[in-house]
Amino acid sequence: MASAVSLAGLEKSYDYVIVGGGTAGCVLANRLTEDKDVRVLLLEAGGDKTTDPLVLTPGLVPAVYGKDEYDWNFQSVPQSTLNNRIINQARGKMLGGSSALNFMMLVYPSKASIDAWAAVGNPSWNYEALKPYLKKFATVDVPSASTKDICALTYNNDTVAYGDGPVQVSFGEGYGVTNKGWFDTFASLDLLSKTDARDGQALGAFQNANSIDPATKTRSFSAVTYLTAEVRARENLKILTNTHVNKVLFDTTGSEPVATGVEINVNGTVSQVSANLEVILSAGALQSPQILELSGVGGKEILAQHDIPVVIENPAVGEGMQDHPIVCQSFEVNEGTPSGDVLRDPAVVQALLDMYTADRSGPMGQLTISVAYTPLVNKTGVVSDECVQELFAGRDFSNPARAAVRDIVANPNEPTFQYILFPTQVHIADKPENMATHLIPVEPENFLTIMTILNSPFSRGSVHIQSSDPKALPVWDPKFNDDELDMELLARGVQFVENLVAPDTAMGKLLNQTGRRLPQLKGDDLETAKEIVRQRQISVFHVSGSCAMRPRDEGGVVNERLQVYGAKKLRVVDASIFPVEPAGNIQAVVYSVAERAANLIKEDRKAGKV
């Protein structure tokens, strides 16, 4: 019987030990235990919050941020290109990981952004290889007629649910004049999507679905959907929460180190558990590399600083970190234009909670964010091929990853940017205490926010241990805009926002044209747009790439079967293996990679390759 309480019943060994019960780890625990002959131990540092209303209620997302029982609450080092501001990074510290505290947006990647994985040395990982798994992980409900009408879902002809996977996905209700204004504005700019992003190519405004169960109006996340009561009842699955993994254990007596298990800490009690077949790290892009370094896998200089013996030298561990930069511009709305800022009033919050509790009606069970994909744009619209080439002229693209990103940005049929219509104001602090700092309305006026995301950044950051103490968070340095091309691109994306909020657009007519902006700047010229980036860019949760799947001599940490170079019986399965950041919100790709990884692991076991 699966347990999530104590060390009671913990055996000395399991076939697979999965470190991290997050988005990917829950998928693996489910799929690997489909074989009754395989025994799996799933270890999670946080608790089990699968019945917690703060996690399950879609409208209460900000309530979990910064709270130790839910959120690792990472803070970056000061970012020199962002006025030395510190950037917050919420990370799920509970069963389900970040699928339990993200904004539930279900956005599919572009074909080109996944094909880039093959282009950088992973021929078996392209869009066609991942596509079956993009459908396998979820069941997408059919949008209602009213949602299709308001959100211009003309290309969605579903009459039955799409897919039959565990994660329940819906379009929901509650869309209104602001969403219609969004789609009408993009239509006037000839940027309304005519194709379905699920097919790998979409440009223009479209309505994303959300990981919200349409039957219960609750968050549908990995711990609820992949670790159902039936799955937890499997005799070959053991779940331990509130269990910190100190390091991976190795047998170094042979020609190549062999992962033999892990050292764990439960309430101060340190013990060891053996893995007969494999140890699988699914601790996320910030903590899988941390565990590798604590275990002696990493750059020798970093390990030497903390007196950790080198087991496998690989300076690529913790490097290559990628993240989607997001610039948040808030605009005061006209009186009568709906804004989520009314939630500053506790009485309004309570009334909406009462509605939700009574019959699951109202905004607390919905998400009304709308999005758009665009090619490279600026203040005049879509940038010409000539201007794109001028932007790239004289720059070095000898690195395959840089060349792959350049090819995406240069392609007028690929989404350089993702724009998001967000229903509230966003507050940017120099040193935010947590992600809720950005979301709690502090200005007295009501706002909407338009967010500009660079889908394919050139900059690469890092994450490394700062101590040999396993409970000390590693140092995260995203190095936002370290490659000046990112600033150039983001500034052009910010310029384009002026086209969306102009007085004669449907969006502009919803805004108070003489009212406030956050910041109080117009991105008409490139230098002002860059200042907006410096003042208003943060992270959008999509950290990846720190244990990249690439050839080892090109900065790789894992091979195409996600096995750690230089080790036997050790894999990494989470967003840290992404060699190139995919377009859009990444939860769909994390689920899909985990589903495919489960199949790879099963194949290798049956072939005797572990």
Side-chain angles (χ1 to χ4, degrees), residues 580-610:
V580 177
E581 182 91 291
N585 304 65
I586 68 173
Q587 74 161 327
V589 181
V590 176
Y591 277 121
S592 303
V593 165
E595 285 278 16
R596 188 176 186 211
N599 278 357
L600 295 177
I601 293 166
K602 290 178 179 180
E603 289 171 6
D604 287 349
R605 186 178 71 84
K606 289 177 180 177
K609 294 182 179 179
V610 294

Side-chain angles (χ1 to χ4, degrees), residues 239-261:
I239 302 171
L240 278 183
T241 55
N242 300 305
T243 301
H244 205 98
V245 172
N246 291 342
K247 61 182 176 180
V248 178
L249 304 171
F250 290 97
D251 177 358
T252 59
T253 59
S255 59
E256 194 170 38
V258 179
T260 60

Side-chain angles (χ1 to χ4, degrees), residues 332 339 341-342 344 425 441-447 516 518:
E332 185 181 346
S339 166
D341 288 344
V342 297
R344 66 167 67 83
Q425 63 182 261
V442 296
E443 303 297 336
E445 301 87 359
N446 292 339
F447 292 79
R516 295 184 62 197
L518 307 174

Side-chain angles (χ1 to χ4, degrees), residues 427-444:
H427 175 62
I428 306 296
D430 290 343
K431 296 180 180 180
E433 292 183 8
N434 53 65
M435 188 57 66
T437 302
H438 299 311
L439 301 173
I440 296 172
V442 296
E443 303 297 336

